[in-house]
Amino acid sequence: MRPAGVAFCLCQCLLVPLMAGRLTRAESRPTDMKPAQFGTRYTGSIDRDIEEVYAFNYTSVPGKVDALRVFVMSNSDDLEFPLLFVVRQQKGVLSWQVPLVFRGYYQRTYTYQDVSRTLCPTDPEGQTQPLEQFMYIDIASMAPTSVQYELIVIRLPNFELQTDVPFNFSASPSQPQYFLYSFPEGVDSVIIKGSSVNAYPCAVVSVQDITCPVYDLDHNVEFNGVYQSMTKKIAITIQRKDFPKGQFYIVFVIKPEDYACGGSAPKSTSGDHTWNLKRVKHIEVTVSPSIKNTVYLHATLLCFLFFLIFYLGAFLVFFVHHFRMQKKRVNMSGSPDEGEGTVAASHPITTSTPEGSSYGAIDESRQRTGRTPPPIPRPRIYSDSSVDEESDFDGIPEMESDKNVIRAKAFLYVSDLSVKDRRTISKKYKIYFWNIITIAVFYALPVIQLVITYQTVVNVTGNQDICYYNFLCAHPLGVLSAFNNILSNMGHILLGFLFLLIVLRRDLLHRSLVEANDVYALEYGIPKHFGLFYTMGIALTMEGVLSACYHVCPNYSNFQFDTSFMYMIAGLCMLKLYQTRHPDINASAYAAYASFALVIFLAVLGVVFGKDNWWFWVIFSIIHVVGSLALSTHIYYMGRFKIDVSNADFGIFRRIFQILYTDCIQQCTRPMYMDRMILLIVGNVVNLFFAIFGLVYRPRDFASYLLGIFICNLLLYLAFYIIMKLRSSEKIQPLPLFCIIATAGVWASALYFFFQTLSSWEETPAQSREKNRECIVMHFFDDHDIWHFLSSTAMFFSFLVLLTLDDDLDDVRRDKIPVF
């Protein structure tokens, strides 16, 4: 015999007596098999020498789901020797103990002596005739003394929920509830809506497949299916494709503590152990069909049709402009001075010429009283060298080479600040365009990867608390949980691309005139540099891309994706306004983007540390105020205020004191640049107010607070620019006037929808869902989607304002256009 066979025989000889002894002891243990009926209350006592078994025999009806619920209670408070209940069914076993213990935070325990559980029902699928079913409930305990218990089993009459029929019930931590729902014929998607009058106790709602066991306790409810935490509202959209059998369970579990919903430990908690705490939540649940697939198609077509109107409007304006240009050429062909007529007719932008004036002549009514300085000659020095792009070299005669002399004049004109070579300046501003494309690519790719990971985690784990959607109006498509929030961002992309086309057309017309040495293109109107306009179009497009990425899974960790390019858009608009009449002294692309990077860095720090840390707000307020003063100094002195830090000694402070004494004390009654001074004073007061507000209230949404600072400064500067333009007897043509009115109206409407808060990542997911509301357009778009539509439209009109605001100056010499 082999050694292995010998070892097997020895083991068998040793184990048989042991098994026999165990079986003998088990058989000698008294067991009382009691036939039982539903709805009857059974009481008894049990100890370590007794095990009782209740046998239930019932008949299941074909096509009807039989759900049984077991209620048990015990007077035992001995956690060392709990009462054990084991339910045996045809396809599964369910067990629990009484007292039932739940564990919370900080090592707290919550104990309940009354427990009720719903048993996993048998599946009637394929059953054609009544079938006899058996169920056994075993009760046992290892307690040395007798333990009293009560037992009752009932059949649930309302276990299967009906479509569009509200159902009310109650649940507690030791008495969870779950119900069955079956998809009706022709319905591919349903939305589960739950509501409760009271926010607490906190609950978890889970949607699970019809398999046994059902996870319906606090420590395992998150193991299977899709789930949300709940205070007053929940809304879960379920698709038939995720449940092949067309059925699912809706499980309601009450948490022993409220931390998951933003609450705290129960108020009646005493010490680290609590018994029979009354935490009952009354819930109403309704299951309704969701929108059909045709609604997705109609909503998508509506979205594209809405923005297609802007393309049609733009092409209509192009056509009208082209027709007027052709008409001008015909009229000018018969004029005495055919050369001047041709020059004027070839003007790239539609402008209105004062009545009675001739093309090519200076409008004397626009000249200011007093002696007007002659135009400064510009040498035509063209170079493709990259050194000239960012140099401070001014191509003017030697006697006027000191730019400080020019910029210190009391009255400056655009010709004074547009003396650098046109090609060099154009290349300087094109750097903005190429840099933002590089930034967009490197910024967007990790963002897209991250949000795809977020969405994958949500789909795999089923944890819908990760993303802060408006669940009452979140329509899934494919792997996306809220397709409507992503679709509504198409406006930014489509309108950004349209703005790029408009700028490209103007740029091409201007280039053709420059190549033809058109005097109007070279010496009249605001200098045309389109690099910042191209940059603004790219920024608007990227805002749509990143906002869509954020709405794939909006939450606390990725909110800055939605705002980063908003900071850049506001900053670029301010730079463009300043560059309009200061083309030679505007910030370089590298300095501007470095400033934007600092702003985004501060935004990230604010999101992380800005909640409860007062020291962050003190540092930020100091940076804010000091930065505003430094920028104001640069603007007021036109970049001429410089301090050599390399030779810093006590003389530097003397220099600062002398400047403050000369400009702020001696000339305090009448600043040299009054208009600029008024703007800067108002701007610094506004920024000081923002700094004090942030320091006192410390708003939790730091990103929106910082964006508000940028938008207010932009609106202030734009208002100042328009006021100064009107004060200088300049006109606002019909097209920019229409854009200004449209911008104001659309922004007002957009902000109304923006402040209709539908969710908030500043709170817990359950508290955020209390703000959820139904769709308002086509049962597909909610208030925030309307904000996306209107905000993209408002930004598009805002860009058009900046593009067309100075069209009235295209027939005015640059030495007649004031700087402000």
Side-chain angles (χ1 to χ4, degrees), residues 675-735:
D675 296 331
R676 238 178 292 163
M677 177 61 72
I678 293 175
L679 167 68
L680 296 175
I681 289 177
V682 175
N684 279 279
V685 169
V686 171
N687 283 279
L688 182 62
F689 169 78
F690 269 105
I692 295 174
F693 176 84
L695 195 60
V696 174
Y697 292 98
R698 286 180 280 178
R700 297 187 63 183
D701 190 353
F702 180 81
S704 297
Y705 165 79
L706 188 59
L707 184 59
I709 294 175
F710 271 82
I711 292 178
C712 284
N713 281 274
L714 173 60
L715 293 177
L716 180 66
Y717 191 19
L718 179 60
F720 168 81
Y721 190 93
I722 294 175
I723 292 172
M724 291 302 301
K725 183 177 177 67
L726 297 176
R727 280 192 60 195
S728 303
S729 301
E730 298 176 4
K731 297 180 180 179
I732 298 180
Q733 292 188 334
L735 180 58

Side-chain angles (χ1 to χ4, degrees), residues 230-298:
M230 174 186 177
T231 52
K232 291 185 177 181
K233 288 182 182 180
I234 61 102
I236 305 177
T237 300
I238 301 298
Q239 301 182 80
R240 181 191 285 267
K241 66 180 181 64
D242 297 327
F243 297 92
K245 295 183 179 180
Q247 295 178 317
F248 55 83
Y249 292 132
I250 309 174
V251 184
F252 298 86
V253 174
I254 309 302
K255 304 286 286 185
E257 294 177 337
D258 297 325
Y259 289 105
C261 295
S264 59
K267 294 181 179 180
S268 57
T269 300
S270 59
D272 296 331
H273 199 93
T274 304
W275 287 83
N276 297 324
L277 192 62
K278 300 301 180 183
R279 289 175 58 83
V280 179
K281 193 175 187 72
H282 305 284
I283 303 173
E284 180 181 276
V285 59
T286 306
V287 184
S288 305
S290 185
I291 61 174
K292 298 182 179 180
N293 293 334
T294 55
V295 179
Y296 283 82
L297 178 60
H298 295 161

Side-chain angles (χ1 to χ4, degrees), residues 108 191 313 317 350 409 498:
R108 295 192 186 97
I191 180 170
V317 173
T350 304
K409 295 193 305 182
L498 176 59

Side-chain angles (χ1 to χ4, degrees), residues 680-810:
L680 296 175
I681 289 177
V682 175
N684 279 279
V685 169
V686 171
N687 283 279
L688 182 62
F689 169 78
F690 269 105
I692 295 174
F693 176 84
L695 195 60
V696 174
Y697 292 98
R698 286 180 280 178
R700 297 187 63 183
D701 190 353
F702 180 81
S704 297
Y705 165 79
L706 188 59
L707 184 59
I709 294 175
F710 271 82
I711 292 178
C712 284
N713 281 274
L714 173 60
L715 293 177
L716 180 66
Y717 191 19
L718 179 60
F720 168 81
Y721 190 93
I722 294 175
I723 292 172
M724 291 302 301
K725 183 177 177 67
L726 297 176
R727 280 192 60 195
S728 303
S729 301
E730 298 176 4
K731 297 180 180 179
I732 298 180
Q733 292 188 334
L735 180 58
L737 181 61
F738 168 77
C739 293
I740 291 173
I741 296 173
T743 299
V746 177
W747 268 124
S749 303
L751 290 176
Y752 169 80
F753 288 99
F754 175 76
F755 289 111
Q756 303 298 313
T757 307
L758 304 179
S759 61
S760 175
W761 50 261
E762 301 173 33
E763 301 173 328
T764 64
Q767 292 171 332
S768 173
R769 274 186 283 273
E770 294 179 16
K771 299 179 173 64
N772 289 177
R773 291 208 297 268
E774 302 280 353
C775 305
I776 61 173
V777 176
M778 297 182 64
H779 302 288
F780 191 83
F781 296 114
D782 60 16
D783 297 76
H784 198 73
D785 294 322
I786 305 304
W787 151 254
H788 287 159
F789 286 123
L790 295 180
S791 63
S792 60
T793 304
M795 281 190 281
F796 175 72
F797 279 126
S798 301
F799 291 178
L800 289 182
V801 170
L802 299 181
L803 183 63
T804 62
L805 187 57
D806 290 315
D807 283 355
D808 60 306
L809 302 178
D810 289 328

Side-chain angles (χ1 to χ4, degrees), residues 111 121 150 183 215 246 309 318 321 323 393 412 440 457 630 674 813:
T111 307
E150 291 185 6
F183 280 95
Y215 298 96
I309 295 175
F318 292 162
H321 175 255
F323 177 78
F393 173 74
L412 281 174
V457 171
M674 177 59 73
R813 290 186 64 90

Side-chain angles (χ1 to χ4, degrees), residues 270-389:
S270 59
D272 296 331
H273 199 93
T274 304
W275 287 83
N276 297 324
L277 192 62
K278 300 301 180 183
R279 289 175 58 83
V280 179
K281 193 175 187 72
H282 305 284
I283 303 173
E284 180 181 276
V285 59
T286 306
V287 184
S288 305
S290 185
I291 61 174
K292 298 182 179 180
N293 293 334
T294 55
V295 179
Y296 283 82
L297 178 60
H298 295 161
T300 304
L301 292 177
L302 175 65
C303 177
F304 283 94
L305 181 62
F306 176 77
F307 294 107
L308 180 62
I309 295 175
F310 291 89
Y311 279 81
L312 296 177
F315 285 114
L316 179 61
V317 173
F318 292 162
F319 175 79
V320 172
H321 175 255
H322 179 73
F323 177 78
R324 292 180 63 182
M325 294 285 290
Q326 294 294 334
K327 186 177 180 180
K328 283 184 179 181
R329 290 191 178 95
V330 173
N331 293 337
M332 291 299 103
S333 61
S335 61
D337 192 348
E338 189 170 342
E340 284 188 0
T342 305
V343 169
S346 61
H347 193 273
I349 309 297
T350 304
T351 60
S352 60
T353 305
E355 207 172 20
S357 63
S358 61
Y359 287 90
I362 300 175
D363 185 4
E364 298 296 335
S365 63
R366 293 178 180 267
Q367 296 185 11
R368 295 180 177 270
T369 59
R371 184 175 180 272
T372 303
I376 299 175
R378 299 174 186 77
R380 302 292 180 183
I381 304 175
Y382 301 111
S383 171
D384 292 331
S385 173
S386 60
V387 177
D388 294 335
E389 295 179 13

Side-chain angles (χ1 to χ4, degrees), residues 72 159 261 301 303 363 365 403 453 485 530 562 646 667-668:
V72 297
F159 179 70
C261 295
L301 292 177
C303 177
D363 185 4
S365 63
K403 58 187 176 184
T453 303
N485 293 151
F530 295 95
D562 193 27
S646 61
Q667 299 181 10
C668 187

